[in-house]
Amino acid sequence: MSKEIEMRIRKSLYMLSLILVIGMKNAYTQTSQVLYYMNIPQNHLDNPALRPTNSSYLGIPVLTGLDFTVNNNFVNFSDIIMKGQKNDSLITVLHKDYNIDKFINKLKSSNFITPEISIQLLGLGFTVGKDMYITLDMVDRIYTNFAIPKDLFLLALKGNSSFVGSTMDLSGFDAQIRYWHEFGMGISKNFGNNLRLGIRPKILFGVADFSINNQAFGLTVNQDYSWDFNANLTANMSGPVKVYTSNKNTIDSIKFDENKFKKGSGNDVDINKIANFFFNKQNMGLGIDLGAQYSVTNKLQVSASVTDLGYIRWKSDITNLKAESSFKFSGFNVTDVVNGSKTMDQLAQDMADSLKNSFSITNGSKPYNTTLPVGINLGGSYNLTKNISVGILSHSILADRKIREALTLSANINLGSALSTSICYTAENGRFDNLGAGLAFMLGVFQFCSRADRIPVTFNKITSDNNSSLVPATWNTFNTRF
């Protein structure tokens, strides 16, 4: 492979990473549709009433549960990295040869892309008495979250000329970046012969947060292609950042506060300060998971759960920002990057210079609350034999005054704790070709489990220097756990 092609691949992968990181929304929950009907200890995270057949388990710290998810509802892998006019070339959506209209046709009124990371630091479960099961969990959770209205994409990709004199409603724009620790203790128990109930109260400790509260956001394109905003928009931050202001009390710059982790006025790192940041007790919150499982017959079971009912109260290192009721923005146009008149760095700098003068610092540092996105699961399973079952699961997310739904059909084999496997089909994110699979098996006292909720089934072939590579064609979700 030539150096030129290698460089193009690197740029394309960089572009993909950039899109996955800066645009984010919707995979808020820990729920895996594959794991729900598998006989493994971790399924109590989706429904605290569910319990495995083993009498106890101890999770190896960190290795017990590594979960990574990226979701979006409008773009596929092949829309980011694709063939150019020649078989040995790779281009991205910003390349001059790319058909922008093809990308625009995939946009929805509200577009989201989301990564979420969940790391189970501690997992413990054991039986008490005849049928009571107790779990203890410590989980680190990170999500970043952007919702981008279609009109904002159109302005960036098509330019301002077709929007001159018009006003757009951008109240759907939203953003959060959040990191917190979660400590939960779950209890489940049988009530009668058919009903099992579970509850998992949680204590939450916030580490860092950035949240936008968008009450109203309108944009008008002027004749000179500048933008006039009318906004009722606030942004709250909790974390090691410093906001420097100008004489007009507008933002001059926002920088990482390096001194927060140093000893006195020197450059040495203070380990205690780092520990205090990551184990902050000031940003506390509470949450709860509720679940139920009911045996209609010996073969038919139904279940339901509500997870992540809760909030975090942010009190430490607070910065409150507020957009003025109206302000002017010089605008930006991605076509400048495509035609080569500007680099992406120059475009980003122009945007930052305009935006920082549009926000002001409110008086004081007021604490604020953020709520957890609520997950709702409704499921049913039917035992074809003692070890083989089929299931259906409806999974909904209630967040930011929106409801998002996924529906999963599964076939499952559970041979006690020795072997558990599941194959799933899921309709989600406007796609109906999502296949998933999970496998868990025992080696002595160790249980190994892995799963992927979305496995690509169609591929595009890219050839260069007589070498060919396959890339997923319709892959818009990545979700895996080990």
Side-chain angles (χ1 to χ4, degrees), residues 16 51 54 65 73 93 101 108 140 158 200-201 208 216 225 249 254 306 313 332 336 344 360 441 454 466:
L16 173 64
R51 63 150 298 177
N54 57 278
N73 69 337
V93 67
D101 291 329
K108 305 184 185 308
D140 266 22
K158 298 290 286 185
R200 193 166 77 101
Y225 293 161
N249 205 34
I254 300 177
V306 179
R313 179 70 169 172
F332 72 102
D336 291 338
M344 183 62 77
S360 62
F441 58 91
R454 312 290 179 268
N466 297 321

Side-chain angles (χ1 to χ4, degrees), residues 229-419:
F229 284 101
N230 289 297
N232 181 7
L233 186 149
T234 59
N236 296 309
M237 292 188 290
S238 174
V241 296
K242 272 201 166 186
V243 179
Y244 299 89
T245 61
S246 64
N247 295 331
K248 297 180 180 180
N249 205 34
T250 58
I251 299 174
D252 184 60
S253 62
I254 300 177
K255 296 182 179 179
F256 177 75
D257 186 7
E258 297 180 352
N259 295 325
K260 183 175 177 63
F261 304 109
K262 292 181 179 179
K263 293 181 179 179
S265 58
N267 292 321
D268 294 334
V269 175
D270 191 326
I271 300 300
N272 290 329
K273 288 184 177 180
I274 295 177
N276 289 336
F277 168 72
F278 281 102
F279 298 97
N280 193 341
K281 297 180 180 179
Q282 296 185 57
N283 301 326
M284 289 191 62
L286 297 173
I288 192 169
D289 299 341
L290 303 170
Q293 186 178 37
Y294 184 78
S295 297
V296 181
T297 68
N298 290 334
K299 291 181 175 292
L300 178 62
Q301 293 83 38
V302 294
S303 62
S305 67
V306 179
T307 60
D308 287 334
L309 283 168
Y311 73 96
I312 299 176
R313 179 70 169 172
W314 301 89
K315 295 182 178 180
S316 67
D317 299 319
I318 301 297
T319 302
N320 306 123
L321 308 177
K322 182 177 177 61
E324 299 291 349
S325 57
S326 61
F327 57 89
K328 184 179 290 290
F329 175 54
S330 62
F332 72 102
N333 192 342
V334 176
T335 56
D336 291 338
V337 178
V338 175
N339 62 33
S341 60
K342 283 186 178 181
T343 66
M344 183 62 77
D345 289 341
Q346 290 171 332
L347 189 68
Q349 186 61 51
D350 291 345
M351 184 177 180
D353 290 342
S354 295
L355 283 178
K356 71 182 182 181
N357 295 321
S358 306
F359 288 83
S360 62
I361 304 296
T362 58
N363 294 328
S365 299
K366 295 177 60 177
Y368 62 97
N369 291 350
T370 59
T371 58
L372 302 182
V374 178
I376 300 176
N377 293 307
L378 299 172
S381 64
Y382 185 83
N383 297 324
L384 300 175
T385 68
K386 180 182 177 180
N387 303 117
I388 301 175
S389 68
V390 292
I392 184 171
L393 177 65
S394 167
H395 174 59
S396 303
I397 293 293
L398 281 68
D400 305 319
R401 303 180 298 275
K402 300 180 180 67
I403 299 177
R404 301 177 179 90
E405 166 71 16
L407 184 66
T408 298
L409 303 176
S410 65
N412 318 285
I413 299 176
N414 290 299
L415 303 177
S417 299
L419 175 68

Side-chain angles (χ1 to χ4, degrees), residues 12-13 15-16 19-20 72 74-84 89-95 97-100 102-103 106 431 433 456-462 469-477:
S12 299
L13 292 175
M15 186 63 195
L16 173 64
I19 291 176
L20 293 179
N72 89 88
F74 69 101
V75 66
N76 293 310
F77 191 92
S78 59
D79 296 318
I80 307 301
I81 300 177
M82 67 215 75
K83 294 180 182 179
S89 65
L90 296 174
I91 64 174
T92 70
V93 67
L94 296 182
H95 194 276
D97 292 335
Y98 182 73
N99 184 357
I100 292 294
K102 179 181 177 181
F103 181 83
K106 294 177 177 290
R431 298 209 61 88
D433 56 358
V457 294
T458 57
F459 295 84
N460 288 334
K461 186 177 181 180
I462 296 178
S469 301
L470 295 178
V471 297
T474 58
W475 204 21
N476 70 348
T477 301

Side-chain angles (χ1 to χ4, degrees), residues 209-227:
D209 177 72
F210 171 79
S211 301
I212 287 180
N213 182 15
N214 184 355
Q215 297 296 324
F217 202 4
L219 181 154
T220 301
V221 180
N222 300 314
Q223 292 290 338
D224 61 357
Y225 293 161
S226 64
W227 298 350

Side-chain angles (χ1 to χ4, degrees), residues 32-91:
S32 164
Q33 290 93 327
V34 171
L35 294 185
Y36 195 86
Y37 289 117
M38 292 178 64
N39 182 31
I40 63 171
Q42 285 77 21
N43 60 10
H44 73 274
L45 296 173
D46 302 331
N47 184 335
L50 302 179
R51 63 150 298 177
T53 57
N54 57 278
S55 60
S56 62
Y57 89 95
L58 175 65
I60 300 174
V62 180
L63 294 181
T64 295
L66 296 173
D67 200 308
F68 177 62
T69 301
V70 178
N71 252 339
N72 89 88
N73 69 337
F74 69 101
V75 66
N76 293 310
F77 191 92
S78 59
D79 296 318
I80 307 301
I81 300 177
M82 67 215 75
K83 294 180 182 179
Q85 294 180 350
K86 299 180 180 179
N87 284 335
D88 62 349
S89 65
L90 296 174
I91 64 174

